[in-house]
Amino acid sequence: MVKNCSMNSKEMIKKNIYSARCIGNVEPIEYMIPYPSMRSLIEGQNIKYSKQVIIKKPSPLTNLDFYTLVQQTANWLKEKGLNAKERILIPELKYPETEILLYGVWQLGAIGVVCEEKNYDTAQKKINPTITLENEINLINDIKNFPKSFEPTYKPLLEDEALITFEKKDGIKLSHYNLLVNTYAIQKALNIKSRTRYYCNLKPGTTIWTIFKVILPIFSGCIFDYDKPELTIGEYDCDFTLRSDLINIENYSKNDIAVCPENTAAVTVGDKPLHLTNFIKNGDKISLMGHSVTVGYLDDSLNKLRFNNNSLTIPI
């Protein structure tokens, strides 16, 4: 009898999480986004735009250059002992090595784990990774002799886990769909055009770094350019400012972007919800609804507590 109750409880948690990730009658399904996984994103950009420069410094990289480095990284990770569906902490390397590393993890079919240094021990203990990478590695040098093509043994699905963040200490899980749909909504809200010169000053360790620095420029076909950007996004001195003080969301300017890892990254531009996102603020709590809502916490007690009434309610 106890076993049946436990199963029922897990089924109910799963149902509540899925209900929060719907918006009205619109379910989080494949036709909402142009790519079926993060692995497919970088492959897709190479079909038509392989020769386009996407990074200006420290040395120019085309889509094909970047993709080749990602393939080599996947081979390197596999030799080190990382397997598909396993989790690995992403160390902070110099730009763009951390970004290449994360795409290499996705190319392999594995799961990236991000956290700031203060939460590193917590993350390490919770995920118990197969392999650990040091901050001192020189990725470009380490992968240079590895094959430039990689044959995956597993190709992730949209609902598969792609990223876990420990920026709030609680492990928050995000699927490939979460990452892609949130990025697509940001591109749509800001009307970012292909070949826009773009810069973002975020450091690794958070979902906002993952979305705004790792994924958005490649997804949008931008040129990452520190010297002459046409669009900048970050936490200070930028065209659009990322803000996590959701308690003040009604006072945001049109150039403020509300961010929250439970909603992948972005929630609003100004006070307007992103496409396929909604929220209700009630005092010191906010209820999130829509396709960017996390697929759940690592801790099921938090899932049980916070996923209710077709939403995810968190303290702010």
Side-chain angles (χ1 to χ4, degrees):
M1 185 66 70
V2 174
K3 185 177 179 181
N4 287 337
C5 289
S6 174
M7 286 293 291
N8 289 338
S9 174
K10 286 190 176 296
E11 294 263 334
M12 184 58 70
I13 288 170
K14 189 176 178 180
K15 180 182 176 184
N16 287 345
I17 291 172
Y18 191 79
S19 295
R21 296 182 58 229
C22 296
I23 187 159
N25 293 324
V26 184
E27 298 181 71
I29 52 179
E30 187 172 326
Y31 70 83
M32 295 295 173
I33 50 176
Y35 301 103
S37 70
M38 292 308 308
R39 178 181 170 277
S40 300
L41 165 61
I42 191 68
E43 287 184 345
Q45 289 298 311
N46 272 279
I47 293 173
K48 289 185 179 180
Y49 311 115
S50 61
K51 295 181 180 179
Q52 287 187 351
V53 172
I54 58 171
I55 294 172
K56 291 287 285 185
K57 287 186 175 180
S59 59
L61 290 177
T62 64
N63 264 312
L64 182 57
D65 295 332
F66 191 87
Y67 183 50
T68 300
L69 293 169
V70 167
Q71 301 260 79
Q72 289 179 291
T73 300
N75 282 307
W76 175 74
L77 287 166
K78 185 176 181 181
E79 185 177 274
K80 279 190 162 295
L82 184 67
N83 298 306
K85 301 184 184 182
E86 293 181 342
R87 299 163 175 169
I88 181 171
L89 276 157
I90 304 298
E92 182 176 348
L93 311 176
K94 62 187 179 184
Y95 182 81
E97 292 191 5
T98 320
E99 290 73 12
I100 291 166
L101 174 61
L102 185 51
Y103 275 107
V105 168
W106 289 328
Q107 186 73 14
L108 181 60
I111 301 147
V113 179
V114 295
C115 68
E116 294 167 320
E117 191 175 345
K118 62 184 178 182
N119 295 327
Y120 183 86
D121 290 341
T122 300
Q124 185 85 356
K125 200 174 294 183
K126 288 278 181 72
I127 68 165
N128 191 23
T130 307
I131 66 168
T132 301
L133 303 177
E134 301 299 326
N135 286 9
E136 293 77 21
I137 62 173
N138 182 332
L139 184 67
I140 301 301
N141 184 65
D142 289 352
I143 66 174
K144 66 183 179 183
N145 294 323
F146 281 81
K148 295 181 179 181
S149 64
F150 176 77
E151 290 300 324
T153 56
Y154 178 74
K155 296 181 180 180
L157 305 173
L158 272 176
E159 287 302 312
D160 283 354
E161 201 175 281
L163 194 81
I164 299 176
T165 177
F166 283 89
E167 60 203 87
K168 286 189 172 182
K169 287 193 175 178
D170 304 316
I172 299 167
K173 300 184 291 182
L174 299 171
S175 67
H176 288 266
Y177 185 87
N178 280 142
L179 300 180
L180 288 163
V181 80
N182 197 253
T183 304
Y184 182 45
I186 294 161
Q187 182 198 27
K188 188 180 177 76
L190 301 184
N191 194 27
I192 302 173
K193 304 295 186 184
S194 178
R195 313 321 293 148
T196 298
R197 292 180 179 273
Y198 172 79
Y199 181 68
C200 174
N201 58 18
L202 297 171
K203 290 186 176 182
T206 62
T207 61
I208 57 173
W209 164 77
T210 306
I211 295 296
F212 289 97
K213 195 167 184 180
V214 180
I215 305 174
L216 182 63
I218 289 177
F219 186 98
S220 304
C222 294
I223 304 167
F224 198 85
D225 186 358
Y226 173 82
D227 292 325
K228 297 179 180 178
E230 299 164 302
L231 171 65
T232 58
I233 301 176
E235 295 178 304
Y236 54 88
D237 296 335
C238 291
D239 298 323
F240 288 89
T241 304
L242 305 177
R243 294 179 58 174
S244 58
D245 58 329
L246 303 187
I247 194 88
N248 300 313
I249 198 167
E250 60 269 22
N251 299 320
Y252 281 15
S253 78
K254 65 179 182 179
N255 285 25
D256 288 335
I257 299 176
V259 294
C260 170
E262 281 94 344
N263 201 66
T264 303
V267 182
T268 72
V269 175
D271 60 357
K272 291 182 172 56
L274 291 181
H275 181 56
L276 298 173
T277 289
N278 203 359
F279 70 92
I280 298 170
K281 181 172 170 284
N282 185 11
D284 61 355
K285 293 183 179 179
I286 193 167
S287 296
L288 301 165
M289 296 144 274
H291 293 197
S292 291
V293 168
T294 168
V295 291
Y297 296 95
L298 287 177
D299 184 349
D300 259 348
S301 65
L302 280 176
N303 291 328
K304 190 173 182 180
L305 177 68
R306 294 183 177 178
F307 283 96
N308 287 292
N309 302 316
N310 302 321
S311 64
L312 166 60
T313 301
I314 59 171
I316 53 174

